[in-house]
């Protein structure tokens, strides 16, 4: 045992910052795709938000990937604001 245990958490669907299917870009990798969903991790006892992951698929289909939600923004300036 390492002496550190992660507190119990729950996973659930979160609110989308933009409409489902919005073309978004990962600000770090610059990959573009369509926003499909958000997964939230919260502490079981207090409900405090621990993290959010955005799930994105490439335009035209392909393998979905996930990135931290704070790295996602609309690919088109002024889109879905």
């Amino acid at each position: 045992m390492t002496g550190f245990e992660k507190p119990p958490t729950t996973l659930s669907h979160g609110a989308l910052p933009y409409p489902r299917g919005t073309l978004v870009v990962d600000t770090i990798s610059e990959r573009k795709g369509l926003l499909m969903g958000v997964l939230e991790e919260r502490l079981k006892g207090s409900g405090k938000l621990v993290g959010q992951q955005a799930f994105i698929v490439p335009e035209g289909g392909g393998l979905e990937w996930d990135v931290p939600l704070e790295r996602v923004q609309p690919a088109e300036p002024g889109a879905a604001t």
Side-chain angles (χ1 to χ4, degrees), residues 15-38:
L16 295 170
Y18 316 110
R20 181 180 164 96
T22 298
L23 182 63
V24 294
V25 63
D26 174 358
T27 57
I28 303 293
S29 71
E30 298 183 0
R31 286 180 73 182
K32 290 183 181 180
L34 304 174
L35 179 64
M36 292 288 111
V38 172

Side-chain angles (χ1 to χ4, degrees), residues 42-76:
R42 293 182 177 273
L43 293 177
K44 250 186 183 177
S46 66
K48 180 181 176 187
L49 186 63
V50 175
Q52 294 177 301
Q53 290 289 113
F55 287 85
I56 303 167
V57 296
E59 287 184 284
L63 293 176
E64 183 178 85
W65 75 93
D66 64 292
V67 297
L69 185 60
E70 63 268 7
R71 288 178 27 187
V72 173
Q73 67 183 30
E76 308 296 325

